[in-house]
Amino acid sequence: MPRSSDFKPSKVVLAYSGGLDTSIILKWLQTEYGAEVVTFTADLGQGEELAPAREKALKLGLKPENIFIDDLREEFVRDYVFPMFRANALYEGQYLLGTSIARPLIAKRQIEIARQVGADAVCHGATGKGNDQVRFELGYYALEPDIHVIAPWREWDFRSREALLAFAEAHQIPISKDKRGEAPFSVDANLLHSSSEGKVLEDPAVAAPEFVHQRTLSPQDAPDRVTEITIEFQHGDPVAIDGEAMSPATLLTKLNRLGHDNGIGRLDLVENRFVGMKSRGVYETPGGTILLAAHRGIESITLDRGAMHLKDELMPKYASLIYNGFWFSPEREMLQAAIDKSQEKVAGTVRVRLYKGNVTVVGRESPHSLYDQELVTFEEGAVAYDHRDAEGFIKLNALRLRVLAKRDRRA
Amino acid sequence: MPRSSDFKPSKVVLAYSGGLDTSIILKWLQTEYGAEVVTFTADLGQGEELAPAREKALKLGLKPENIFIDDLREEFVRDYVFPMFRANALYEGQYLLGTSIARPLIAKRQIEIARQVGADAVCHGATGKGNDQVRFELGYYALEPDIHVIAPWREWDFRSREALLAFAEAHQIPISKDKRGEAPFSVDANLLHSSSEGKVLEDPAVAAPEFVHQRTLSPQDAPDRVTEITIEFQHGDPVAIDGEAMSPATLLTKLNRLGHDNGIGRLDLVENRFVGMKSRGVYETPGGTILLAAHRGIESITLDRGAMHLKDELMPKYASLIYNGFWFSPEREMLQAAIDKSQEKVAGTVRVRLYKGNVTVVGRESPHSLYDQELVTFEEGAVAYDHRDAEGFIKLNALRLRVLAKRDRRA
Amino acid sequence: MPRSSDFKPSKVVLAYSGGLDTSIILKWLQTEYGAEVVTFTADLGQGEELAPAREKALKLGLKPENIFIDDLREEFVRDYVFPMFRANALYEGQYLLGTSIARPLIAKRQIEIARQVGADAVCHGATGKGNDQVRFELGYYALEPDIHVIAPWREWDFRSREALLAFAEAHQIPISKDKRGEAPFSVDANLLHSSSEGKVLEDPAVAAPEFVHQRTLSPQDAPDRVTEITIEFQHGDPVAIDGEAMSPATLLTKLNRLGHDNGIGRLDLVENRFVGMKSRGVYETPGGTILLAAHRGIESITLDRGAMHLKDELMPKYASLIYNGFWFSPEREMLQAAIDKSQEKVAGTVRVRLYKGNVTVVGRESPHSLYDQELVTFEEGAVAYDHRDAEGFIKLNALRLRVLAKRDRRA
Amino acid sequence: MPRSSDFKPSKVVLAYSGGLDTSIILKWLQTEYGAEVVTFTADLGQGEELAPAREKALKLGLKPENIFIDDLREEFVRDYVFPMFRANALYEGQYLLGTSIARPLIAKRQIEIARQVGADAVCHGATGKGNDQVRFELGYYALEPDIHVIAPWREWDFRSREALLAFAEAHQIPISKDKRGEAPFSVDANLLHSSSEGKVLEDPAVAAPEFVHQRTLSPQDAPDRVTEITIEFQHGDPVAIDGEAMSPATLLTKLNRLGHDNGIGRLDLVENRFVGMKSRGVYETPGGTILLAAHRGIESITLDRGAMHLKDELMPKYASLIYNGFWFSPEREMLQAAIDKSQEKVAGTVRVRLYKGNVTVVGRESPHSLYDQELVTFEEGAVAYDHRDAEGFIKLNALRLRVLAKRDRRA
């Protein structure tokens, strides 16, 4: 395959938000490459109207059949978010991977459209210093190995914001007032989370200003009363809130609302990007934060120790794979197979209290519970625990340590 | 070594709290074995006066030279708690190991005393169903492989609380009123945490009553205002709060106070015991919860990605080793060597906000920072990042996935 | 469940080899417990006739319907040996787990028979210091949690070989001459391997005598010529040798013959037992040694790097689980799910040379090959490799190391 | 830092073998960049005379003070090879990393020379498709983050072997006859191993021809007699053969001779390169193969189970780090700290038999042995093993499996 810069695509599927940047890219693809552009706009729950994206694409000269707008919210939550939460995935111990998990689905759908319309290239608007370019492109290549990828931010010659805006004006792309100056921070959002990074957040010693938050009240602003809910699980996935069954996206939307109102799910983090530098972001994952706690809660009574500890050992690698863009990789699929195997009996109901930023599991019950009240009670019960067994258990666990101690004393 | 029950010790070092249970054990050792008893009472920050323990031991007939009372708070925090926090250790994703980490130090000191007084046995008051018996005894055996261990709860014939109390009365051991009935829950405490388990907590579906908490205000009861502090680190350990240098125990005590006041560090957990069953506990680790967040915070700007991810992968095993009682084991020491190696430059200051149960890192700075503002800013700087590098990086990371996709299409 | 020694079983399923030791156990169960004994004798390819076992059981008074003799060779290889070889499992880097992998199948079948005949206990002849007692009993308990287990070697009062023989004579159990004295070593055998341990092998400084080997010629005695074979794989399992399709047990038998003749598969090892001590064994795994090499060979061209490295990282834990007796555990099943997922396209043919102890893979081909000759040739091909990509790949991989070096220089 | 192609170095340190390719590079640096070239030629035990390298460099116009020739054999073995063997490192289960481990040392010395002579760039002769470019450059950047790297094979315009040769002739670089045509395979060699890859080895289905081997007799050609040696270890490193103490490089040289003569250490492997494709190589590591077996042997009696299993779990990652070029990385150093910690008492003598490709450990003894003959003998000894302990050990290990089985039956 030739270097992308040498390649002239005839038809390109662009991941298109309808915003200024991807509108410039759209125009640039037309002018720079003379390519027919197909736009793909996904509703992943980012909370924006999609109709304007269609309008703008039409105005930029696209044929109606070249405009794809899909509501992927249910697929997103069911096939990406929930499988990931089965693993209790946290990147670097803290980050719920809200941006990372959306990229593979966008890439997948873009490739599907490329096949459908006979496009020979795909294009995204991620910058050249971030993780998202990697996530998009690894997805593209894994699904369609000969596809051509156009990454304008790495290719074009605009050297400043001004040059970009000049190009926009020259091509009649409307620029809203707030886009004139440089944004104080940039945002990514979907049904799982929103993230903010850049400019006002760049000094990690300085607290994030309140105005970067979009998805959550601050704990201080949240009401001073406890909200208690129950979440029901089947096969490791949440299926109902307070007894009401819901589809995956509906359920996550509901949790987001609860999280928002109670000031839950904020994270101010300096993380390590796959491309090699550290960056600082502010994440808000209201529903996901509740979900992680509740999932750990239902696992705590339904998952065997061996399974739980193996999951905990595998998790950091699993989270890194998703963060780094390797969702569509054999090793992620192997780990998923192991994790899914563990979730067969992870079912039941968790009671959770929400209060000013706190998520507290206060009760869990399950028809598949492994918690055995008789086993732990003080009095010996009918059940299988003989105090004398503990002596043998300890003695044989200690044996190698005793041999070692004798050796070390001797030598 | 003969089975302990066949063995008649001549001198026994007993881990003695001064409470009813260990007083009964003391007397039982005297009557059952005719052994000379040496008591060891440690101040690990559990918050109880130690003078009464001496009084009681004297009353039970011990010679003054057979009564050991040590303030181990500094050693505990410096050599056990802080090394563990360098690893960000969490058992089963949540538990800060407050009980587990105290046991090896008690075992070590008991063995030292046994050597000093020429005792041929050690004794502890842990029950036959818990983890603590394992932790004590693995510690004893690892340090003194031929020591005899007496575990009364696994050995004696008392079959009920009543039988125990009758024995106490028969031997003039004073029984305070509240010990007459069965305790609604049992407590373990030290400078790192307090834990509650048993009776009123036995049904994991039922919320823990407020009265089991001892170390923390509830978030609801905590004041409605933010407390902001800074914590300074050196070599991965905290050394100062708000610019004031403190000894390890003093610092943890201060953090505990801050945590208490702000409703921080409560955990209601169903966990997997090493001896094989699930149990439910309520933990309060106010200072430790703040410390974990702050340590992650300082690591986030001073630790390289490779080091951090390796630490995260090793952590679950490290935590399990401590939980299971293998502090004095070659594999824990190997992991500690790796972890300590990583902490050489983990130094700097973290700014933390405390508010009604929330610990939020809002700023971090360090003379050893790896965060490079120039690298992440939008505009290309003088520094080593060329956007075009990303293309090659992605292409070679994608190569195997593309070969795979072609293969799978072919076959 | 009461301590087994307090329990009087009415019907016991005994894992019965027909040898002296298990015949004594059979009689001891009858006399000690007054229990009805059901024998189970499995053909796992140990190379002994099973008819005598039936004869002896009848002579010891068993009813014909209480004698179970099963040929489990195909099930053993198909459902236990091959799945394990998919993982390239080696315990402590060297041991092919020949004994360990047979125990769960015996346990499973014993439990099935117990259910069928309505027995309330099972019994095995493993000693109290070995791993096999653990493997049998974990299998029993995992499959039938309330079963009673009788482990005569841990229970009875015979304190010497003489006492045992006296009991045998008293009960008319025939004792062959060579069983009078103490055996110079003990043997376990099945279709995968044979192991020898004990007496003549007890000093790990002294070489194992030639006469302990049973399954293989020594490399010195093997013929001085190369034997070349091909092994064909499907889904990670071998299915044909030299183009001839074979059932699992037939195939392993054939490989054993080839290995035997060419002096392949001997191992003299000091290993760590689960019960805490080191022991020295001599293992012969002729066919398995060939199979491991061939499986690695076919994986080398059909398995993606990510999958292979993940497998390699999981392997030590997987091997330990099998060694320790946790075949029937959730964590082994999780790992198996991951491993099996990786084997879907592990298919093709491996050419192997056998010569005086050496197994050398000299060729591999596959319809699912990921090896791409064009990618590695010197000249740039039509394919997806641009030398310039390497620069970017290296630069971004180096980025964090450069930032680190600058930091360390600065500080 | 600007893209290397835009940069004009004034002084370059070139890793120079004296062969045709690096001589062309030398001249190309002079003509293309007008740079002053400094050559560095290392004796790593590759078995070539270094004097001709000096002659050639002088002929190509270098000043004598710009020619560095160092004997690094002892440093190589002591500080790179032996630390790696402490880990029993095998890449993809088989490869002893002979090429990988030499690169960091070359990179380190090149950087030292660059500092000494005030050079602003370094240059290597590795191609754009291999691992070595990565290993060299990660080493350079980790040690000297602002260094400029010149990788001629990725940069120059020669598009064929002919063009290269024409350049050589035009600049009076002598071309030996056998370099006229294309080499049937390429070789890398040092004191640890030699590797062959390319052309005649490119079809992985075809056996490697005998003539690619350089370091070892074939097993068939090796003498038909057993050679028995002893190897003595201290702190995990070999220090003597047959009782004779030797320096690291002397010892490895001696093992290489023994391995060569006995047909030991050949490997024909398809491996996964870090840059993303599979490649096939033939490796010969005669002394290293003996060393690995002997090191495992001495560890088997001196290393505790916990330490050994942890080492085995960490090994694949450690090996990948070295293979991928991350010797100078925090995570490799963390793992090394853990590994080195484990080797403190790995000392003693291993007896090894060498015979026609086989390395067999037949005896091991150590003043620090953990093997306890009394513990494993049949009769119960004075020592710490009570058969009854096994029952408790098994019961508590089984407990969670039993609870699980009851749950699964219930549900």
Side-chain angles (χ1 to χ4, degrees), chain D residues 110-129:
Chain D
Q110 246 180 301
I111 291 297
E112 286 168 356
I113 292 170
R115 286 180 191 147
Q116 187 179 332
V117 302
D120 52 354
V122 287
C123 176
H124 64 75
T127 70
K129 280 189 174 176

Side-chain angles (χ1 to χ4, degrees), chain D residues 42 76 144 163 168-169 173 180 205 219 256 265 328 364 386 388 404:
Chain D
F76 175 51
E144 188 61 50
E169 285 187 335
I173 300 172
R180 287 272 156 204
N256 279 338
F328 297 113
R364 353 51 199 143
D386 183 325
R388 288 167 296 171
L404 197 65

Side-chain angles (χ1 to χ4, degrees), chain B residues 326-363:
Chain B
F326 290 94
W327 178 264
F328 297 115
S329 73
E331 62 271 33
R332 203 279 308 171
E333 289 169 4
M334 285 171 65
L335 291 173
Q336 195 72 56
I339 290 159
D340 290 356
K341 176 83 189 161
S342 76
Q343 301 291 296
E344 290 168 0
K345 299 271 172 76
V346 176
T349 302
V350 177
R351 185 169 301 275
V352 178
R353 287 195 188 140
L354 313 175
Y355 173 72
K356 278 186 168 287
N358 296 276
V359 186
T360 313
V361 171
V362 297

Side-chain angles (χ1 to χ4, degrees), chain C residues 390 394-395 397-398 401-402, chain D residues 13-17 22 25 40-42 44 46 72 76 98-112 121-128 130-145 147-154 187-190 274-275 321-328:
Chain C
I394 295 169
K395 284 272 188 64
N397 271 298
L401 302 178
R402 295 172 68 191
Chain D
V13 180
L14 167 65
Y16 182 62
S17 73
T22 50
I25 289 172
F40 163 56
T41 309
L44 290 165
Q46 62 269 51
L72 301 179
F76 175 51
T99 297
S100 326
I101 192 62
R103 300 321 190 190
L105 173 54
I106 295 171
K108 167 175 160 278
R109 188 71 190 110
Q110 246 180 301
I111 291 297
E112 286 168 356
V122 287
C123 176
H124 64 75
T127 70
N131 294 304
D132 284 332
Q133 56 178 341
V134 190
R135 295 168 188 151
F136 280 125
E137 298 177 30
L138 291 183
Y140 299 150
Y141 287 130
L143 298 171
E144 188 61 50
I147 196 74
H148 292 278
V149 176
I150 301 174
W153 288 96
R154 298 199 306 254
V187 170
D188 175 66
N190 59 48
F274 187 30
V275 290
L321 286 170
I322 293 177
Y323 185 87
N324 291 348
F326 290 93
W327 179 265
F328 297 113

Side-chain angles (χ1 to χ4, degrees), chain A residues 187-375:
Chain A
V187 171
D188 175 66
N190 59 47
L191 200 53
L192 180 55
H193 95 334
S194 73
S195 74
S196 307
E197 56 179 29
K199 241 171 161 55
V200 301
L201 297 170
E202 263 164 20
D203 184 347
V206 174
E210 181 58 28
F211 67 79
V212 304
H213 301 91
Q214 342 205 337
R215 281 288 184 89
T216 52
L217 295 180
S218 77
Q220 290 90 317
D221 292 337
D224 189 12
R225 68 165 176 276
V226 171
T227 302
E228 188 169 303
I229 60 169
T230 62
I231 304 179
E232 191 181 325
F233 288 85
Q234 291 289 352
H235 303 299
D237 294 337
V239 295
I241 296 176
D242 288 336
E244 185 185 348
M246 298 179 196
S247 74
T250 313
L251 189 145
L252 184 53
T253 304
K254 171 85 173 166
L255 286 183
N256 279 338
R257 171 56 44 200
L258 288 160
H260 168 276
D261 291 351
N262 289 288
I264 287 165
R266 293 184 169 193
L267 174 67
D268 175 343
L269 183 70
V270 176
E271 80 202 43
N272 293 289
R273 288 193 187 156
F274 188 30
V275 291
M277 79 278 280
K278 289 184 181 289
S279 74
R280 193 259 196 102
V282 166
Y283 300 108
E284 294 166 90
T285 319
T289 301
I290 300 169
L291 182 51
L292 176 68
H295 185 254
R296 281 254 179 218
I298 192 64
E299 282 194 335
S300 76
I301 58 166
T302 57
L303 210 58
D304 165 74
R305 183 183 71 199
M308 186 184 292
H309 289 200
L310 179 56
K311 284 190 68 203
D312 284 347
E313 289 180 21
L314 299 178
M315 187 278 279
K317 185 176 190 71
Y318 177 87
S320 285
L321 286 170
I322 293 177
Y323 185 86
N324 291 347
F326 290 93
W327 179 264
F328 296 113
S329 73
E331 61 272 33
R332 203 278 308 170
E333 289 168 5
M334 286 171 64
L335 291 174
Q336 195 72 55
I339 291 159
D340 290 355
K341 176 82 189 159
S342 75
Q343 301 292 296
E344 290 167 1
K345 299 271 172 78
V346 175
T349 302
V350 177
R351 185 169 301 275
V352 177
R353 287 194 186 142
L354 313 176
Y355 172 72
K356 280 185 166 285
N358 297 276
V359 185
T360 312
V361 172
V362 298
R364 349 56 197 142
E365 45 193 327
S366 170
H368 305 291
S369 179
L370 293 166
Y371 182 92
D372 183 334
Q373 209 149 328
E374 280 188 81
L375 267 179

